[in-house]
């Protein structure tokens, strides 16, 4: 039997419409504001920034774009971040990554006030995640994955989650979020990665398998335990054989084959992607409440 499809787009639409209502209910305090900073002309980053600005305007968040060429320079960027940290109309600051060569991403991320770090990349927010303090901003992609997992598997206690990939943006924070003792988590977590000669030893044990390796089609049907829940975080652009000269977006999972083995699976596109932007919006509303003592 074919797996249930975990429809990230549908879940995202539901959460976004609740956020839009929440923003209306908070309007006597003002409007949440998100600064979106884009340096250089990476085409994928330009698309993401456009999508983020559109998502803001759809639900009533004010977005403020700061776009500069590659030659803007780290010093100017750090000065801009300092101004945004002190600007009361700005509740969240997002610096689109990757930054061009010559910019120190670590330094830039650490310059953002942890209280405006709606991406959840600042070490202070990541540290709070490690100790299970939910009074912080959780990085958007793992946060979106956690919500999709919780909606699919009601009781997570003791479930074995295997995460393939150890990035600072997805694998490491998600592992720390899912291991905590709360009802959004309480899982047994394994993280496996490229140092393993045979990741199927691990993936076959997963009740919940999260593929976040950035490797198209890495997870094959014979690497998945029958009845597992599979979350595909991969966003890989590959040549589209049906449209010569064009690219298409594929995940880390061989979707067509794995959907015949899994109990539930998230597609690419239409899975984790829309959830990531939604959690950015949720974090921005959370920051607005925090800054206004609501
Ligand atoms: N580049 C790829 N994903 C992200 C993200 O979630 N936030 C930022 N700021 N940059 C990214």
């Amino acid at each position: 039997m074919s797996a249930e499809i975990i429809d990230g787009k549908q879940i995202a639409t539901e959460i976004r419409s609740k956020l839009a209502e929440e923003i209306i209910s908070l309007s006597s305090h003002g409007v949440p504001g998100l600064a979106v900073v884009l340096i250089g002309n990476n085409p994928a980053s330009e698309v993401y920034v456009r999508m983020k600005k559109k998502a803001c305007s759809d639900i009533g968040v004010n977005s403020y774009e700061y776009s500069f060429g590659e030659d803007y320079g780290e010093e100017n960027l750090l000065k801009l971040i300092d101004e945004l940290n002190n600007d009361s109309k700005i509740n969240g600051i997002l610096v689109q990554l990757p930054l061009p060569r010559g910019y120190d991403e670590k330094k830039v991320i650490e310059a953002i006030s942890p209280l405006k770090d709606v991406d959840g990349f600042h070490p202070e927010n990541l540290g709070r995640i490690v100790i299970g303090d939910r009074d912080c901003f959780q990085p958007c992609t793992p946060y979106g994955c956690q919500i999709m997992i919780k909606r699919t598997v009601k009781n997570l206690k003791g479930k074995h989650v295997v995460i393939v990939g150890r990035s600072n943006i997805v694998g490491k924070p998600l592992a720390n979020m899912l291991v905590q003792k709360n009802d959004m988590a309480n899982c047994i977590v394994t993280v496996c990665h490229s140092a393993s000669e045979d990741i199927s030893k691990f993936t076959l044990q997963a009740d919940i398998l999260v593929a976040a390796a950035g490797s198209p089609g890495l997870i094959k049907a014979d690497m998945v335990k029958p009845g597992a829940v599979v979350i595909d975080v991969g966003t890989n652009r590959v040549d589209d054989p049906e449209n010569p000269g064009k690219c298409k977006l594929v995940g880390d999972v061989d979707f067509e084959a794995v959907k015949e083995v899994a109990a539930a699976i998230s597609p690419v596109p239409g899975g984790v992607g829309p959830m990531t932007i939604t959690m950015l919006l949720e974090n921005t509303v959370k920051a607005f409440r925090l800054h206004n003592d609501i």
Side-chain angles (χ1 to χ4, degrees), residues 199-200 202-205 209 218-225:
I199 59 165
S200 66
F202 305 102
T203 59
L204 278 166
Q205 296 178 42
L209 177 60
L218 173 73
I219 306 296
K220 312 273 185 243
D222 63 359
M223 298 164 74
V224 177
K225 182 168 82 171

Side-chain angles (χ1 to χ4, degrees), residues 48 52 94-98 119 121 140-141 169 276:
Y48 286 130
K52 288 170 185 179
L94 176 148
V95 178
Q96 188 63 31
L97 302 178
D119 252 331
F121 292 167
C140 304
T141 300
I169 293 183
T276 296

Side-chain angles (χ1 to χ4, degrees), residues 2 15 65 68 110 155 184 213 244 289:
S2 204
I15 297 174
E65 184 175 341
F68 301 98
E110 290 184 19
N155 184 6
M184 289 292 288
R289 282 184 174 279

Side-chain angles (χ1 to χ4, degrees), residues 46-87:
E46 285 172 350
V47 172
Y48 286 130
V49 162
R50 245 196 334 268
M51 285 164 69
K52 288 170 185 179
K53 282 175 55 194
K54 159 108 178 30
C56 284
S57 102
D58 285 349
I59 68 154
V61 167
N62 284 338
S63 70
Y64 302 89
E65 184 175 341
Y66 299 85
S67 285
F68 301 98
E70 255 180 60
D71 57 357
Y72 186 57
E74 185 182 286
E75 205 174 306
N76 283 328
L77 178 55
L78 293 172
K79 219 160 75 198
L80 171 66
I81 291 172
D82 185 49
E83 282 164 22
L84 297 172
N85 282 340
N86 292 297
D87 185 337

Side-chain angles (χ1 to χ4, degrees), residues 3-290:
E4 170 199 343
I5 305 301
I6 306 172
D7 187 347
K9 213 169 155 191
Q10 169 59 35
I11 303 170
T13 303
E14 236 178 81
I15 297 174
R16 288 184 200 196
S17 73
K18 286 204 183 110
L19 286 171
E21 284 170 21
E22 188 178 346
I23 290 168
I24 291 169
S25 77
L26 297 173
S27 58
S28 62
H29 300 271
V31 178
L34 175 69
V36 183
V37 182
L38 176 63
I39 309 292
N41 53 4
N42 177 322
S45 292
E46 285 172 350
V47 172
Y48 286 130
V49 162
R50 245 196 334 268
M51 285 164 69
K52 288 170 185 179
K53 282 175 55 194
K54 159 108 178 30
C56 284
S57 102
D58 285 349
I59 68 154
V61 167
N62 284 338
S63 70
Y64 302 89
E65 184 175 341
Y66 299 85
S67 285
F68 301 98
E70 255 180 60
D71 57 357
Y72 186 57
E74 185 182 286
E75 205 174 306
N76 283 328
L77 178 55
L78 293 172
K79 219 160 75 198
L80 171 66
I81 291 172
D82 185 49
E83 282 164 22
L84 297 172
N85 282 340
N86 292 297
D87 185 337
S88 63
K89 73 174 183 294
I90 302 295
N91 302 108
I93 302 170
L94 176 148
V95 178
Q96 188 63 31
L97 302 178
L99 286 167
R101 275 221 309 234
Y103 291 79
D104 182 343
E105 278 187 3
K106 179 171 171 314
K107 207 163 155 186
V108 169
I109 289 169
E110 290 184 19
I112 297 171
S113 161
L115 302 177
K116 295 193 176 184
D117 170 39
V118 286
D119 252 331
F121 292 167
H122 192 285
E124 181 175 322
N125 284 312
L126 290 169
R128 287 187 194 280
I129 282 171
V130 173
I131 61 171
D133 177 359
R134 289 161 91 192
D135 201 5
C136 69
F137 294 109
Q138 310 196 85
C140 304
T141 300
Y143 190 13
C145 291
Q146 186 180 35
I147 288 181
M148 293 167 86
I149 291 169
K150 175 66 183 173
R151 287 210 175 199
T152 311
V153 182
K154 299 289 173 278
N155 184 6
L156 288 172
K157 183 179 173 190
K159 292 287 186 295
H160 188 188
V161 180
V162 176
I163 300 169
V164 184
R166 56 177 157 180
S167 70
N168 289 338
I169 293 183
V170 185
K172 280 190 262 186
L174 183 61
N176 282 282
M177 287 157 68
L178 291 174
V179 84
Q180 304 298 334
K181 196 169 180 181
N182 63 56
D183 69 355
M184 289 292 288
N186 218 1
C187 299
I188 313 302
V189 180
T190 299
V191 181
C192 60
H193 46 75
S194 55
S196 170
E197 276 175 17
D198 177 15
I199 59 165
S200 66
K201 257 191 329 213
F202 305 102
T203 59
L204 278 166
Q205 296 178 42
D207 301 314
I208 299 162
L209 177 60
V210 181
S215 176
L218 173 73
I219 306 296
K220 312 273 185 243
D222 63 359
M223 298 164 74
V224 177
K225 182 168 82 171
V229 169
V230 179
I231 304 290
D232 190 350
V233 186
T235 48
N236 310 292
R237 267 162 239 280
V238 298
D239 290 338
D240 183 355
E242 282 162 25
N243 285 300
K246 292 252 161 64
C247 283
K248 66 172 186 173
L249 195 65
V250 298
D252 286 356
V253 176
D254 179 356
F255 181 82
E256 289 305 323
V258 172
K259 81 176 189 331
E260 302 305 323
V261 180
I265 184 168
S266 73
V268 177
V272 174
M275 291 300 289
T276 296
I277 297 186
T278 303
M279 301 341 284
L280 171 71
L281 299 171
E282 180 159 316
N283 280 346
T284 304
V285 175
K286 181 175 177 165
F288 177 74
R289 282 184 174 279
L290 179 74

